[in-house]
Amino acid sequence: MKQNTLSFEKQLSDWCANTFATCFPDSDLSTFTLGVTPGKNEQFGDYQCEAAMKLSKKLRTNPRAIGQAFIDHAVLPGLIEKIEIAGPGFINIFLKNEGISIQLTDMLTDENLGLPNKGNNQTVLIDYSSPNIAKPMHIGHIRSTVIGNSIDRLYRALGYNVIADNHLGDWGTQFGLIILGYREFADHDALKTAPVEELERIYVESYNRSKEDGTWRDRAKAELVKLQQGDKENRALWATFIQLTLSEFNKIYKRLDVSFDLYRGESFYNDDLAKTVEKLEMAGLSEESDGALICNLEEDGLAVAIVRKSDGGYNYTTTDIATVASRTEEFSPAEIIYVTDERQQLHFKQFFHICKQLGIETKLTHIWFGLMRLPEATFSTREGNVIKLEALLDEAEARALEVVKASSPDMDETQQKEVARAVGIGAIKYTDLSQNPQSLVTFTWKKALAMDGNSAPYLQYAYARIASVRDKYATKFPGINPDEFPIKLTEEQERRLALKLIRFPSAVESAARLHRPSVMADYLYDLSQAYSSFYQNVPFLKAEQGPRESRIRLCTLTASVLKKGLSLLGIETPERI
Ligand code: ARG
């Protein structure tokens, strides 16, 4: 892993902060963020610092005077051309072209494309996907899988030691009903062909019977107690349900190229629950209420959380508190990140709060997302509210195949199918990842598979086009090694592209810090647009030797950044589309 622990943008930011510290040695500025942001308008610099405005109140000085002090004290690093004050007190920073070229060359020679080793092997545990045994995955689990996996990839790329943990819902009262139903009316053929659907059918039927029939209810309860007490046969059945369900889920994970380090379901923590409740009682954090044990969080503005039901059973909150304690003890993570749908916000607030009261200092983050809106008739595979994920992926691949056939009619069929797989799966993932997950997203195939908008196929296509430019170059100028020529930025569009390229590391950092894959998606879309205007306006293969090689190197770097960036979203980049 690379030594560098700071991205270029962070280095610039640190330089600004240090300069402010030397300007105002008597004031403590440590609570302010005094960094730079990429300039929005070239006229006002390549980067901009708004700190003078932020400091004005604290220093009781007007922002322009603060900016002037900055300029008077600043020792410009070699790559900065000039700095100036603008408007109310912005500090505009202009980079030297050679400075940008050095950054580009560094990126080109680094297999990590300049990504800093920010994690430095700190552990981050990400709890995602986490579907329930004996039930089909719903759209929320799919989103959790895709978003969680991208956060996972972003953190790994920054040098964190990531533990991806699939916290399966594999414990609970439903298993008494399923065991009884399984013994009485399982359809063994259906269990072979569609195990998860059959398990769900068994559960629903058994549940309905328990509503009408007290004897059935008691029998189910007895099966549950046996399971909980470790009865061999019931445990074996339960293990079968897990294995049947997981073998189905694993097919989906494989197609989505998602893998986990741990599959520790709720059952893993079962033996810790009594101890967990004891800890809460000892710390004076719980109280009896109507036979149940609760944590009263009203003072903190949260609803009461039940940690032991009146029948003695524990619940979701208890398990999650036990899970945090266990993970903290075993892995000492710097952060635990949970990815679920929006309906669980209260649950997470409650148990995060309780963990804090218990003295657990680990940073706990809940990333939630809204449910995607699915207009009627979007999916031919939709039944009621359940989308069969396998069928959805099949449909995506089939629709992508039409797109590929149209764009590459001469490609052989096996290859067309392989490309369609990458495009179809990519389109589904990108739709999930490219939007603010908390806003309401409406899924349409047209948008997901558009070749000319902010979509996966558009970016994949941009990548393939760049690959073909490089091929053309290699055929036309064999024997020339572009890497032997320096990168020189002479044209406006090429400088713009270069500036976007050097922002890659900080885009990855922001996406990870904000837990927002959409930041990465926006960056990549922006980059491919900059590339496209560079490609259209700057002579390329027709340029003379020197500029031509410099441009080919920019092209190579753009391709590498697109490939790496898309891989952080879990999206493949075929060489041809
Ligand atoms: N199994 C839960 C569900 O399907 C999600 C679990 C999320 N993780 C957690 N530690 N609570 O709703």
Side-chain angles (χ1 to χ4, degrees), residues 421-441:
R421 189 190 55 74
V423 172
I425 305 285
I428 297 272
K429 286 191 181 182
Y430 195 82
T431 307
D432 244 353
L433 296 171
S434 57
Q435 340 247 351
N436 172 355
Q438 299 181 353
S439 64
L440 188 74
V441 173

Side-chain angles (χ1 to χ4, degrees), residues 6-20 33-38 47-49 51 70 93 506:
L6 295 179
S7 68
F8 164 66
E9 195 167 312
K10 181 79 176 73
Q11 291 173 41
L12 263 188
S13 290
D14 287 354
W15 170 75
C16 281
N18 290 336
T19 304
F20 278 114
T33 32
L34 304 175
V36 299
T37 48
Y47 285 88
Q48 216 173 38
C49 173
F70 183 96
I93 301 171
S506 61

Side-chain angles (χ1 to χ4, degrees), residues 127 129-132 138 141 167-169 266 316 320 323 327 338-340 344 347-348 351:
D127 174 324
S129 194
S130 309
N132 301 317
H138 60 65
H141 296 123
H167 187 72
L168 303 168
E266 293 174 12
Y316 196 38
D320 261 323
T323 305
R327 286 171 173 167
Y338 300 81
V339 188
T340 78
Q344 300 200 24
H347 164 71
F348 281 95
F351 90 80

